[in-house]
Every structure is written in C-alpha cells, then in structure tokens.
C-alpha cells in the first residue's frame, strides 16, 4: 500500500472542483443549466400568471424544474450506458 494520498480534495478550489465534476458527469451541468433556465423563465412569467394563485404557479414551476433536471440526468445515464455496453469498441490484439 502507498501511504501517500493520490489526490487531496481539500486542496482544490471551487472552480477546480466544478471542472472536475463537469468532466465526470457533463449531463449534470446540462441539468443545472436547464434548472436555471426554467427558474429564469418562471420569474419572467410570474407577472403574467393571470388569476392563478401564487402557490399553484410555484408548484408547477417546481415540477417543471425538477423534470428538466431528471430528464437531463436520465439522458446522461442512457448515454453512458450506451457508450459502455452498446457502442464499446473491440480491443484489437
């Protein structure tokens, strides 16, 4: 066993951590951007909600934001599974 640590995570900055996480799972970043987009759209549409109550509007906005993130993560998992099991390249020896 090697007593030295391979990588010390406490030494990395927030920007380095974000870059590492985006390389590990890029669809998480797409989900977060989708969440920000839905929240921005919801803030814009808040003035034009008509007679809808605030609680109902916020509930619908929450469902849309969660659906966006779940859809992005599902697509990411499907993509990584397809890369791993369906489109894997045969090793030439």
């Amino acid at each position: 066993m090697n007593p030295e640590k391979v990588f010390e995570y406490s030494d990395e900055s927030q920007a380095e951590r974000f870059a590492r996480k985006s390389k590990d799972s890029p669809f998480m970043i797409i989900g977060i951007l989708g969440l920000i987009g839905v929240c921005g759209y919801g803030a814009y549409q808040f003035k034009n909600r008509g007679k809808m109550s605030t609680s109902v509007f916020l509930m619908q906005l929450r469902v849309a934001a969660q659906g966006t993130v779940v859809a992005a993560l599902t697509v990411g998992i499907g993509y990584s599974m397809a890369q791993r099991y369906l489109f894997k390249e045969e090793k030439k020896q």
Side-chain angles (χ1 to χ4, degrees), residues 38-54:
V38 168
C39 289
Y41 176 75
Y44 176 74
Q45 287 293 87
F46 186 72
K47 291 195 284 186
N48 302 328
R49 70 183 187 278
K51 294 184 178 183
M52 184 185 306
S53 69
T54 303

Side-chain angles (χ1 to χ4, degrees), residues 82-92:
Q83 290 288 24
R84 183 176 293 167
Y85 298 114
L86 295 177
F87 305 125
K88 65 180 176 183
E89 295 179 11
E90 304 276 332
K91 291 184 178 180
K92 295 179 182 177

